[in-house]
Amino acid sequence: QPLASLLTRFSSHLHTITCVPTIQTHRMTDIENLKSFDPFAEDEGDDFGSKTSSYIHIRIQQRNGRKTLTTVQGLPGELDFKRIIRAFKKKFCCNGTLVEDPELGQVIQLQGDQRQKIASFLIDEGITSKSSVKIHGF
């Protein structure tokens, strides 16, 4: 008698266990958003010294103390760099020079932190669009 009651209890528990719905599991290959943009991947055309890059890079370099130097790289070669430097110096009240680099080409150097001013000048004068200007630095 006790064995029969134990079996009926066990069979009722067994029935409840088998009636539990199964949970559908996903494999990693089923997730589609893993094929999207990888933010840590290297950009092909945006290398530091790439001459084929269509971006204009405006960087700041720390000198000694509070002194800084702003560099502009990637301007189109058909521009008159001397006239652009003269306009920068007059508009921003700073000194500047043109440096010929074997890897980077012609680089404009200006005294002080002129990054935002240079970007707005290049966009306002129609030399470049806002999407092709990259501002680097702290």
Side-chain angles (χ1 to χ4, degrees):
Q1 187 72 3
L3 183 62
S5 66
L6 186 64
L7 281 176
T8 55
R9 265 195 242 152
F10 181 71
S11 65
S12 66
H13 287 297
L14 185 64
H15 178 64
T16 57
I17 291 174
T18 57
C19 292
V20 174
T22 58
I23 299 172
Q24 185 176 3
T25 59
H26 294 284
R27 293 189 178 109
M28 289 301 284
T29 57
D30 294 340
I31 300 173
E32 289 297 319
N33 66 353
L34 290 178
K35 298 174 186 170
S36 64
F37 175 72
D38 183 13
F40 299 107
E42 294 290 327
D43 283 342
E44 284 81 23
D46 194 20
D47 293 336
F48 180 74
S50 175
K51 287 188 179 182
T52 62
S53 176
S54 62
Y55 293 111
I56 296 175
H57 297 278
I58 303 172
R59 294 183 174 87
I60 188 166
Q61 297 174 349
Q62 187 72 37
R63 289 179 50 219
N64 49 358
R66 290 176 46 192
K67 308 286 184 184
T68 56
L69 188 70
T70 305
T71 60
V72 182
Q73 166 208 338
L75 287 170
E78 64 266 5
L79 295 176
D80 187 7
F81 287 97
K82 298 286 185 188
R83 283 184 61 197
I84 291 175
I85 291 174
R86 201 174 325 131
F88 283 163
K89 289 165 70 171
K90 190 170 188 175
K91 187 162 179 105
F92 308 145
C93 299
C94 65
N95 199 8
T97 185
L98 182 66
V99 177
E100 185 68 38
D101 190 85
E103 294 177 9
L104 305 176
Q106 293 183 325
V107 178
I108 296 175
Q109 290 184 344
L110 297 172
Q111 288 181 348
D113 186 6
Q114 313 294 340
R115 291 173 293 171
Q116 298 298 327
K117 294 177 187 176
I118 291 172
S120 63
F121 179 86
L122 293 174
I123 293 166
D124 292 343
E125 293 296 320
I127 297 173
T128 186
S129 64
K130 187 174 183 175
S131 62
S132 65
V133 174
K134 292 216 178 237
I135 299 176
H136 306 276
F138 30 77

